[in-house]
Amino acid sequence: MSGEKGPVIFVDDDEDLLPAAGQMLELAGFSPIVVNSAEAALARIDENFNGPVVSDIRMPRMNGLQLFDRVKAIDTDIPFVLITGHGDVELAVAAIKDGAYDFISKPYETDRLLVTLNRASENRHLVLENRRLRDAVVRSAGDMPLLGNAPSMTWLRETIRQIADTDVDVLVEGETGTGKEVVADLLHRWSRRSSKPFVALNCGALPESVIESELFGHEAGAFTGAHRRRIGRLEYANGGTLFLDEIESMPPALQIKLLRVLETRQVTPLGTNETRSINVRVVAATKVDLSDPAARGDFREDLYFRLNVVTVNIPPLRERREDIPILFAHFLERACKRFGKPVWEITAAVRNHLMGHDWPGNVRELAHFADRVALGLEGAPNSPPGKRDAELSLSLSEKVSLYEATVIRNALRECDGDVRRTTEFLQVPRKTFYDKLKRYGIIPGAYRSSRDCSKSS
């Protein structure tokens, strides 16, 4: 389909060449912009231009090298490909050292140009995507840590702000790793209770013999080992918020006591008959659907209805895939800072994994993946952005051509650019070798060095 790969600006003062170049690019899936002057090309380029620029070197008024300097001043990351004649090779090599993406010698093979432009286009898309993600992280800093622009996340943030400063208890539903404690923390921070304690207790992490004392407190001598009086989490959270995670794991006997606390706002520690009034907001979280009797199990229906005054549902990551890149960019930046690593760009391979994986562990799993990427345990953080991963998306014939061209260039480099020694080294006929040089736009003279060729290397 035309236009799938984005735009390409093709610049050449040969008016007869431009229609054919435009047709060739369009058939390859690009959106061609063919112009006959550097000035016309500059009029179409800004820092958001989403593609590469191809330009002949020799043009009147402003030549290709001057255009390259002007484009580089607009955005150094716009891939710039030079079309050179034999006499311009040294200039093109110098431009490569100065940041040009590639050069191709006339007469060029269409396949060679398209392989280069496919890589260049992918590179440009990745650069702009990384910029958008960085900007989005900065813009969303005020909404942290609930990053995301999916409608469900917009609704979630608005709901939290609406109910945060009310005194109703809240039930937060969501799969493992979706950020239920984050929501509870925001409900606390965005309320008038924010200056008082936020106390968290995981009901599934403590044995039944301990959780009652943790929740309600005890007096000295209340049971064996109770040497000192202990303030329970409910009382300690007085004036603030108590977060009860995995409340579906709470033992049935404690559910009855918690229900009474929610109804009376009074607590009775173990070992005493004294009741103490408390002013606490309870935010309970569950990873199961407590409205479903089968999923609820032995969780009391009356406690569910008491907690279900306001229910907040957190969507799983797979249902808001558009938020995955910005979340990953945030976690990656944070991980790189924590591990003292340079922040690297998101590559095509990592991006494909981000959007193709189901993320059963949700945001928590995504954050751990970002940690591994920052440590170099996933992806290829030391590769130039998009280069290795763009090659992964090439067809088999394109990969073979790319590999063959790389072998030829390396051999020329080893053999000081000498064609005779290189053909002997590669064991190919001279005519076949020259055909390949022409196909890949390789100029032997560009590989002059002081090194020798060795068949044993």
Side-chain angles (χ1 to χ4, degrees):
M1 181 184 296
S2 177
E4 285 184 352
K5 299 176 183 178
V8 172
I9 292 181
F10 191 96
V11 193
D12 200 306
D13 63 328
D14 187 344
E15 298 279 1
D16 295 330
L17 174 67
L18 292 181
Q23 184 179 34
M24 176 262 296
L25 292 171
E26 188 170 7
L27 289 173
F30 293 100
S31 296
I33 303 171
V34 293
V35 293
N36 62 2
S37 69
E39 293 84 356
L42 285 172
R44 309 295 294 269
I45 298 172
D46 59 23
E47 66 274 9
N48 295 315
F49 180 68
N50 190 25
V53 177
V54 184
S55 175
D56 191 17
I57 283 187
R58 295 188 178 275
M59 294 187 296
R61 297 185 301 278
M62 185 187 301
N63 63 36
L65 294 174
Q66 292 170 323
L67 174 61
F68 168 56
D69 288 337
R70 293 284 296 274
V71 171
K72 190 169 59 172
I74 295 171
D75 185 348
T76 57
D77 290 323
I78 293 177
F80 199 97
V81 179
L82 289 162
I83 305 295
T84 69
H86 289 290
D88 300 322
V89 170
E90 290 186 6
L91 295 174
V93 171
I96 293 291
K97 294 178 180 178
D98 199 30
Y101 188 82
D102 201 354
F103 73 90
I104 299 176
S105 298
K106 290 181 177 178
Y108 57 80
E109 288 283 340
T110 297
D111 289 346
R112 163 82 168 95
L113 177 61
L114 292 178
V115 167
T116 297
L117 291 180
N118 278 322
R119 297 202 317 266
S121 180
E122 177 70 12
N123 181 287
R124 183 59 177 168
H125 294 165
L126 285 169
V127 166
L128 292 180
E129 182 178 0
N130 276 281
R131 287 182 186 174
R132 285 192 293 269
L133 290 176
R134 286 194 295 267
D135 290 344
V137 169
V138 172
R139 289 195 308 270
S140 302
D143 290 323
M144 283 302 299
L146 284 180
L147 270 176
N149 297 315
S152 57
M153 292 306 293
T154 301
W155 174 89
L156 180 60
R157 286 192 295 266
E158 291 176 352
T159 300
I160 292 173
R161 289 192 182 279
Q162 288 174 3
I163 66 175
D165 215 22
T166 64
D167 277 332
V168 296
D169 299 323
V170 179
L171 181 63
V172 181
E173 295 180 341
E175 295 179 5
T176 297
T178 50
K180 295 185 288 292
E181 185 166 357
V182 171
V183 169
D185 182 62
L186 287 178
L187 285 168
H188 176 72
R189 286 199 284 123
W190 291 350
S191 74
R192 64 174 68 94
R193 296 177 177 269
S194 59
S195 61
K196 299 296 183 179
F198 175 82
V199 181
L201 177 68
N202 189 317
C203 301
L206 297 174
E208 185 173 353
S209 59
V210 174
I211 190 172
E212 183 174 8
S213 174
E214 284 290 322
L215 193 57
F216 298 97
H218 64 257
E219 297 295 317
F223 50 84
T224 302
H227 302 298
R228 292 182 299 177
R229 178 173 179 263
R230 178 180 177 84
I231 300 296
R233 303 291 180 95
L234 277 163
E235 192 172 355
Y236 186 72
N238 191 35
T241 303
L242 175 66
F243 173 58
L244 298 177
D245 198 9
E246 296 188 31
I247 195 168
E248 71 276 6
S249 302
M250 180 175 284
L254 288 185
Q255 294 178 33
I256 299 173
K257 292 185 177 182
L258 178 61
L259 178 60
R260 180 170 179 79
V261 170
L262 295 178
E263 290 175 341
T264 65
R265 300 294 157 168
Q266 292 180 329
V267 63
T268 304
L270 296 176
T272 179
N273 292 323
E274 178 188 353
T275 59
R276 299 167 188 166
S277 296
I278 55 173
N279 174 18
V280 64
R281 180 191 209 176
V282 174
V283 178
T286 177
K287 60 180 180 291
V288 302
D289 182 5
L290 294 180
S291 66
D292 180 2
R296 189 164 64 232
D298 59 4
F299 192 83
R300 294 180 62 91
E301 186 178 36
D302 50 0
L303 179 56
Y304 164 67
F305 286 126
R306 181 62 186 79
L307 290 170
N308 194 33
V309 178
V310 175
T311 299
V312 174
N313 292 285
I314 308 177
L317 205 51
R318 64 182 175 276
E319 293 182 4
R320 53 182 187 109
R321 289 189 175 275
E322 62 267 44
D323 289 341
I324 292 175
I326 185 175
L327 282 166
F328 177 76
H330 164 71
F331 291 135
L332 181 61
E333 182 180 31
R334 189 178 67 178
C336 288
K337 289 179 180 178
R338 188 168 71 253
F339 298 135
K341 302 288 186 179
V343 178
W344 60 283
E345 308 285 295
I346 296 175
T347 63
V350 170
R351 181 187 59 189
N352 291 340
H353 177 71
L354 291 177
M355 303 312 293
H357 187 54
D358 279 340
W359 301 106
N362 293 292
V363 177
R364 184 182 298 138
E365 182 186 359
L366 183 65
H368 291 167
F369 177 67
D371 287 348
R372 295 197 301 275
V373 170
L375 291 170
L377 304 178
E378 300 275 0
N382 294 322
S383 298
K387 181 178 180 181
R388 174 181 177 275
D389 305 293
E391 291 171 6
L392 293 177
S393 65
L394 299 177
S395 67
L396 177 60
S397 62
E398 289 173 331
K399 290 178 180 178
V400 171
S401 296
L402 190 62
Y403 176 74
E404 186 175 52
T406 300
V407 170
I408 292 173
R409 290 188 176 97
N410 289 340
L412 282 167
R413 192 173 292 109
E414 290 292 323
C415 296
D416 194 29
D418 186 279
V419 171
R420 181 184 60 79
R421 286 192 290 162
T422 304
T423 55
E424 292 175 356
F425 177 59
L426 294 176
Q427 301 179 28
V428 295
R430 182 177 290 249
K431 183 180 185 307
T432 300
F433 184 69
Y434 274 114
D435 287 342
K436 293 183 183 298
L437 291 180
K438 181 178 179 182
R439 177 182 179 185
Y440 299 124
I442 298 174
I443 306 299
Y447 296 89
R448 298 292 183 190
S449 70
S450 59
R451 302 184 64 178
D452 286 330
C453 173
S454 173
K455 289 184 179 181
S456 62
S457 62

